């Protein structure tokens, strides 16, 4: 199961073809995933991260086939989240005194999850190093809030490998392990979905961290994240892409997201899409019923968009719960530099459009005044106001 990455560095992780969701149901997995752990066998033997809790015993048994566990000199825990630390309990039961190198926040995270087990923690900060023999060393780089307070990356000199943990990863099962072997469309799709749904809230920190990594002047031959493909072919391509994504990214796209009770709000959604095509044929238009579409996929389309239009009918003086939940997630992702408009039908009280505008403002969008608020079904007069709304969000 050990698979060579470069020289004395091997992948010892788990490719999870059956995984369907992550963070409970908060992240949809369409193309499998992996938890990547790495074994470095220089004069010192080092394990970088482990895998998720359900596979912990298999992980330890498989690792035993590759190395006498007592010969592991150091364990590096780049991140305490259980998809990377979940096998530590089974591993440390076998080698309880082996030093674990991690950030101080990671100690708190591990002890919070697994209890105080007397593990031999060595806390590190950015710039701290660990000699591993053969003229090589590990350099630690704190990655605070990318995406947890404890996150860290580890750089290996000599082979020039950055073990970046979650950063630069994807929930994507690539049996061949490397980016040049992966389906390039899926690789991009899963990388941008991962960025949108996991990292976008921390985009200002991503930009700073990329600058900090660049200032270290470390040559990078391989970026080995903890999920998905390992970047060995032009590894800096994903760093450059992250720099673009972190800078309030947008394409010439508008996404329309709505739910409907009796199709009136659907009619407005499709009329807005048609008008965008009419006014701006080069603009990509996406239309989703948020009660039916996958929320992580829709958010990825929002990430690419320069504007969104969000619709809900009025229900019990409010909006449909599907749209309310969707907007709560929208707010969490902290999108920047995007416009928004609201629309919806009503039968009597008619609060939905005003509520949508308030919620979209609260989610950080620049909300235009133009809106479509239709009594029961959109009339010709309602439809006639759509060009103004589209003009406002395209501008
Ligand atoms: Fe892949 Fe934050 O764990």
């Amino acid at each position: 199961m050990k698979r060579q990455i470069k020289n004395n560095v091997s992948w010892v992780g788990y490719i999870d073809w059956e995984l369907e969701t992550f963070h409970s149901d908060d992240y949809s997995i369409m193309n499998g995933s992996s938890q990547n752990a790495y074994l470095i066998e220089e004069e010192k033997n080092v394990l970088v991260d482990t895998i998720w809790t359900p596979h912990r015993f298999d992980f330890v048994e498989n690792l035993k086939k590759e190395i006498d566990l007592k010969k592991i000199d150091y364990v590096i825990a780049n991140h305490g989240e259980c998809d990377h630390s979940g096998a530590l309990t089974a591993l440390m039961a076998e080698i309880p005194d082996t030093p674990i190198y991690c950030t101080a926040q990671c100690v708190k995270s591990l002890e919070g999850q697994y209890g105080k087990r007397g593990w031999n923690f060595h806390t590190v900060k950015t710039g701290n190093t660990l000699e591993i023999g053969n003229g090589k060393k590990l350099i630690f780089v704190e990655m605070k809030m990318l995406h947890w307070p404890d996150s860290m990356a580890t750089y290996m000199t000599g082979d020039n490998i950055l073990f970046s943990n979650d950063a630069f990863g994807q929930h994507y099962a690539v049996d061949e392990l490397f980016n040049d072997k992966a389906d390039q469309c899926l690789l991009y799709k899963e990388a941008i979905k991962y960025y949108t749904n996991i990292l976008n809230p921390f985009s200002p920190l991503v930009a700073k961290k990329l600058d900090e990594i660049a200032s270290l002047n470390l040559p990078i031959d391989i970026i080995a994240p903890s999920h998905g493909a390992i970047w060995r072919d032009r590894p800096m391509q994903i760093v450059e892409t992250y720099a673009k994504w972190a800078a309030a990214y947008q394409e010439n796209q508008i996404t329309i997201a709505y739910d409907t009770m009796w199709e009136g709000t659907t009619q407005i959604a499709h009329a807005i899409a048609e008008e965008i095509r009419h006014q701006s044929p080069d603009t990509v238009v996406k239309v989703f019923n948020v009660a039916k579409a996958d929320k992580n996929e829709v958010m990825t389309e929002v990430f690419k968009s320069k504007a969104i239009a969000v619709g809900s009918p009025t229900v019990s003086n409010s909006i449909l719960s599907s749209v309310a939940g969707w907007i709560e997630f929208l707010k969490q992702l902290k999108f920047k530099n995007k416009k928004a408009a609201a629309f919806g039908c009503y039968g009597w009280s008619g609060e939905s459009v005003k509520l949508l505008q308030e919620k979209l403002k609260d989610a950080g969008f620049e909300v235009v005044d133009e809106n479509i608020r239709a009594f029961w079904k959109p009339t010709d007069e309602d439809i006639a106001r759509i060009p103004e709304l589209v003009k406002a969000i395209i501008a």
Side-chain angles (χ1 to χ4, degrees):
M1 78 45 116
K2 181 170 90 172
R3 296 168 68 180
Q4 189 190 36
I5 300 300
K6 185 178 181 184
N7 297 330
N8 299 321
V9 180
S10 307
W11 177 92
V12 288
Y14 181 78
I15 296 183
D16 205 334
W17 291 99
E18 296 186 1
L19 197 66
E20 292 180 313
T21 61
F22 190 79
H23 288 161
S24 184
D25 278 341
D26 221 31
Y27 192 110
S28 59
I29 307 277
M30 307 287 191
N31 297 289
S33 187
S34 66
Q35 299 121 42
N36 299 335
Y38 301 94
L39 182 62
I40 302 169
E41 294 169 281
E42 299 292 348
E43 287 175 55
K44 298 289 186 185
N45 297 310
V46 185
L47 179 70
V48 180
D49 292 323
T50 69
I51 65 169
W52 190 27
T53 322
H55 316 299
R56 62 193 185 280
F57 298 118
D58 285 343
F59 174 78
V60 171
E61 289 310 307
N62 288 333
L63 197 59
K64 277 182 190 172
K65 292 174 192 157
E66 307 298 342
I67 186 169
D68 175 352
L69 297 184
K70 294 192 170 43
K71 291 189 173 162
I72 296 176
D73 296 288
Y74 312 120
V75 174
I76 310 297
N78 276 324
H79 179 28
E81 194 164 9
C82 61
D83 50 328
H84 309 298
S85 68
L88 274 180
T89 51
L91 179 71
M92 300 315 288
E94 306 254 359
I95 48 171
D97 300 325
T98 303
I100 299 175
Y101 286 76
C102 63
T103 62
Q105 285 285 354
C106 189
V107 175
K108 286 187 193 172
S109 167
L110 294 174
E111 289 189 339
Q113 293 174 87
Y114 309 117
K116 289 183 192 279
R117 293 171 179 244
W119 290 344
N120 181 13
F121 289 116
H122 290 238
T123 58
V124 295
K125 294 183 171 174
T126 295
N128 289 167
T129 60
L130 181 62
E131 299 291 335
I132 56 174
N134 297 326
K136 299 177 185 179
K137 64 183 174 186
L138 301 178
I139 303 174
F140 303 106
V141 182
E142 289 168 273
M143 302 278 274
K144 197 170 181 181
M145 294 317 296
L146 297 177
H147 66 125
W148 275 14
D150 65 295
S151 297
M152 174 177 91
T154 299
Y155 176 80
M156 180 182 175
T157 67
D159 291 322
N160 305 336
I161 301 174
L162 181 68
F163 299 100
S164 59
N165 199 263
D166 283 330
F168 311 121
Q170 332 89 45
H171 282 304
Y172 176 26
V174 182
D175 195 62
E176 299 78 10
L177 295 184
F178 296 103
N179 68 314
D180 50 296
K181 299 284 188 182
D183 177 311
Q184 297 302 297
C185 292
L186 278 183
L187 178 60
Y188 184 83
K189 180 179 184 295
E190 294 299 348
I192 195 169
K193 177 177 173 180
Y194 190 92
Y195 187 91
T196 301
N197 288 277
I198 304 270
L199 291 168
N200 191 64
F202 313 109
S203 276
L205 298 173
V206 172
K208 269 194 203 159
K209 189 51 67 176
L210 294 179
D211 288 346
E212 187 189 318
I213 291 172
S215 73
L216 294 174
N217 277 324
L218 300 170
I220 294 178
D221 293 345
I222 291 177
I223 295 178
S226 56
H227 298 290
I230 297 165
W231 303 88
R232 72 172 174 188
D233 175 43
R234 296 181 295 115
M236 295 311 284
Q237 66 178 288
I238 189 63
V239 179
E240 287 154 15
T241 303
Y242 263 44
K244 276 197 296 182
W245 289 344
Y249 183 72
Q250 56 173 242
E251 298 174 14
N252 184 10
Q253 176 169 322
I254 295 177
T255 296
I256 300 166
Y258 71 97
D259 193 8
T260 192
M261 288 177 75
W262 298 112
E263 306 303 331
T265 303
T266 308
Q267 288 173 18
I268 302 172
H270 287 278
I272 292 171
E274 195 177 325
E275 182 59 25
I276 296 168
R277 281 194 293 273
H278 175 68
Q279 288 191 27
S280 182
D282 291 337
T283 300
V284 174
V285 183
K286 305 273 178 169
V287 184
F288 299 103
N289 180 324
V290 297
K292 297 177 181 173
D294 179 276
K295 71 175 182 293
N296 305 108
E297 301 278 324
V298 179
M299 289 306 171
T300 308
E301 298 305 328
V302 170
F303 178 62
K304 294 183 202 166
S305 297
K306 59 184 181 182
I308 62 173
V310 181
S312 170
T314 296
V315 187
S316 303
N317 306 107
S318 187
I319 58 176
L320 282 169
S321 60
S322 54
V323 180
W326 186 83
I327 293 182
E328 178 59 29
F329 189 40
L330 185 78
K331 182 181 170 183
Q332 288 174 23
L333 296 184
K334 295 188 169 68
F335 294 112
K336 298 271 189 302
N337 194 30
K338 298 186 193 296
K339 289 188 171 184
F343 61 95
C345 293
Y346 70 100
W348 45 102
S349 60
E351 294 91 339
S352 72
V353 166
K354 188 166 177 289
L355 285 171
L356 286 172
Q357 288 178 324
E358 287 168 3
K359 286 174 185 292
L360 288 166
K361 255 180 216 153
D362 187 43
F365 286 75
E366 182 193 331
V367 179
V368 300
D369 290 335
E370 290 80 359
N371 65 82
I372 307 300
R373 183 170 171 270
F375 183 58
W376 290 103
K377 293 277 183 186
T379 60
D380 289 347
E381 289 75 34
D382 295 320
I383 298 296
R385 286 188 291 110
I386 287 179
E388 270 182 23
L389 180 149
V390 168
K391 199 172 160 193
I393 54 174
I394 281 182

